[in-house]
């Protein structure tokens, strides 16, 4: 997917504005040697200020990208800087499910998600010296009917405690989910197909004009 721009990417220092090993693994799957740099952007935007969930999630990702780009733009080995930032949220109806505050909150979230379809939004921003390219991808995740014992066992494993919506599709949480409509990697936190498409557009259209 990135073959047409591999020679161009080699001139860039690619930085993932994240501390997530999962997102780093996903980027590396594409052949990008991206380094991790967690953003210090304070994620306290008010959802009420945005018309759509996608606007909110992209604004959060943009804040991360701009903070890291500003901090790193005067450092490095002389290569041009490309910062990739992403933010993921889980919604059920009009309610946002972020990372659980504690195990009890994880139980609450999973109890509500049981037997229901939730929608995952992942906003991605590509920040470079000449501007930004941003997008949001979505996927619908269907949960099976979970018993209280199943929920408690999953929470006790510790797996859901650092994840939006209190579940991770790539780990044991995947056993709770019989169906996903959309990009599996969107649910993991970085939609790879759309990311590749946007990177190609960035290098073959934006940066060549």
């Amino acid at each position: 997917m990135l073959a047409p721009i591999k020679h161009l990417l080699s001139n860039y220092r690619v930085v993932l504005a994240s501390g997530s090993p999962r997102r780093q693994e996903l980027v590396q799957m594409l052949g990008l040697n991206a380094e991790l740099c967690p953003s210090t952007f304070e994620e306290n935007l008010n959802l009420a200020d945005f018309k759509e969930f996608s606007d909110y999630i992209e604004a959060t990702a943009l804040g991360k990208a701009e903070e890291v780009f500003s901090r790193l733009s005067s450092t490095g080995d002389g290569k041009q800087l490309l910062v990739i930032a992403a933010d993921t949220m889980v919604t059920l109806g009009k309610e946002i499910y972020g990372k659980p505050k504690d195990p009890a909150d994880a139980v609450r979230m999973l109890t509500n998600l049981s037997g229901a379809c939730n929608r995952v939004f992942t906003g991605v921003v590509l920040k470079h010296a000449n501007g930004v390219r941003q997008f949001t991808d979505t996927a619908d995740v269907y949960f099976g009917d979970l018993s209280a014992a199943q929920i408690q066992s999953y929470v006790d494993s510790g797996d859901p405690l650092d994840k939006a919506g209190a579940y991770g599709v790539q780990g044991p949480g995947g056993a709770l989910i019989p169906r996903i409509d959309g990009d599996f990697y969107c649910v993991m936190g970085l939609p790879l197909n759309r990311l590749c498409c946007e990177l190609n557009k960035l290098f073959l259209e934006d940066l060549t004009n």
Side-chain angles (χ1 to χ4, degrees), residues 42-64:
E42 192 170 351
E43 299 179 39
N44 59 358
L45 300 178
N46 186 356
L47 179 61
D49 294 337
F50 300 88
K51 185 176 180 180
E52 303 289 344
F53 280 132
S54 58
D55 297 331
Y56 171 78
I57 200 80
E58 284 181 28
T60 301
L62 180 61
K64 293 179 180 181

Side-chain angles (χ1 to χ4, degrees), residues 10 15 18 39 44 50 59 69 77 131 193:
S10 65
V15 176
S18 172
S39 174
N44 59 358
F50 300 88
F69 189 91
D77 55 6
N193 178 267

